[in-house]
């Protein structure tokens, strides 16, 4: 079910590619294209990490922040900085954004085919295993889609 939601979010992201230069500094210092490129970098880095993880190294760790985010389905704005690994380069082309969205759409269904303890390491939440990954991606993508809609004044 979350996989379908994420696929729908990726389709919504496609609609905003042509508006990648739009900016509203009162909402975000970064333009629409930055949010698209950042979110896609997050998706792809998580998909790569979970695919190559060693399920035997998974360690469950309680995190109040993670529980709050998962319970509310929201990431508070302006409370965290993106790690350098997922900060996009300047001026990602429309073609690259479209190709990255298409690649993500193809890869996402494969998450549930991975071992149950496949995981990725989140900088604040610790290890997030397979069954929690899609939910995290939906929440993170939703966070950036809300910012994009606000920049574009689409509620």
């Amino acid at each position: 079910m979350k996989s379908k939601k994420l696929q729908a979010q990726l389709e919504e992201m496609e609609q905003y590619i042509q508006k990648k230069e739009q900016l509203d500094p009162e909402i975000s210092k970064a333009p629409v294209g930055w949010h698209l490129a950042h979110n896609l970098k997050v998706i792809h880095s998580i998909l790569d990490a979970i695919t190559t993880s060693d399920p035997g190294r998974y360690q469950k760790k309680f995190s109040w922040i993670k529980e709050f985010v998962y319970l509310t389905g929201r990431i508070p704005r302006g409370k965290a900085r993106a790690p350098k690994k997922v900060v996009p380069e300047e001026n990602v082309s429309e073609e690259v954004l479209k190709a990255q969205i298409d690649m993500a759409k193809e890869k996402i269904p494969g998450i549930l085919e991975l071992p149950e303890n496949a995981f990725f390491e989140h900088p604040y939440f610790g290890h997030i295993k397979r069954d929690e990954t899609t939910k995290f991606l939906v929440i993170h993508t939703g966070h950036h889609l809300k910012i994009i809609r606000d920049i574009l004044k689409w509620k």
Side-chain angles (χ1 to χ4, degrees), residues 26 42 61 70-71 95 98 147:
E26 291 181 22
V42 167
K61 176 183 152 198
Y70 273 61
L71 181 65
E95 294 77 20
K98 174 71 172 115
I147 294 170

Side-chain angles (χ1 to χ4, degrees), residues 67-153:
E67 293 303 315
F68 173 78
V69 168
Y70 273 61
L71 181 65
T72 62
R74 297 183 50 162
I75 297 172
R77 278 193 197 175
K79 299 297 180 195
R81 293 270 162 231
K84 288 182 183 179
K85 176 181 178 179
V86 291
V87 172
E89 48 284 336
E90 295 290 320
N91 298 320
V92 176
S93 73
E94 290 184 20
E95 294 77 20
V96 167
L97 291 171
K98 174 71 172 115
Q100 288 178 352
I101 288 172
D102 290 342
M103 204 173 1
K105 285 180 181 178
E106 289 177 22
K107 289 181 174 181
I108 286 165
I111 292 172
L112 292 177
E113 296 171 10
L114 296 170
E116 183 180 347
N117 282 349
F119 68 94
F120 74 94
E121 188 159 356
H122 187 277
Y124 301 107
F125 302 167
H127 290 178
I128 296 180
K129 67 183 197 174
R130 179 196 74 187
D131 293 348
E132 299 175 316
T133 297
T134 306
K135 182 171 184 174
F136 174 78
L137 290 173
V138 166
I139 292 169
H140 184 265
T141 301
H143 171 74
H144 286 281
L145 285 172
K146 286 177 189 172
I147 294 170
I148 290 168
R149 287 186 217 113
D150 285 351
I151 291 171
L152 299 173
K153 308 291 190 266

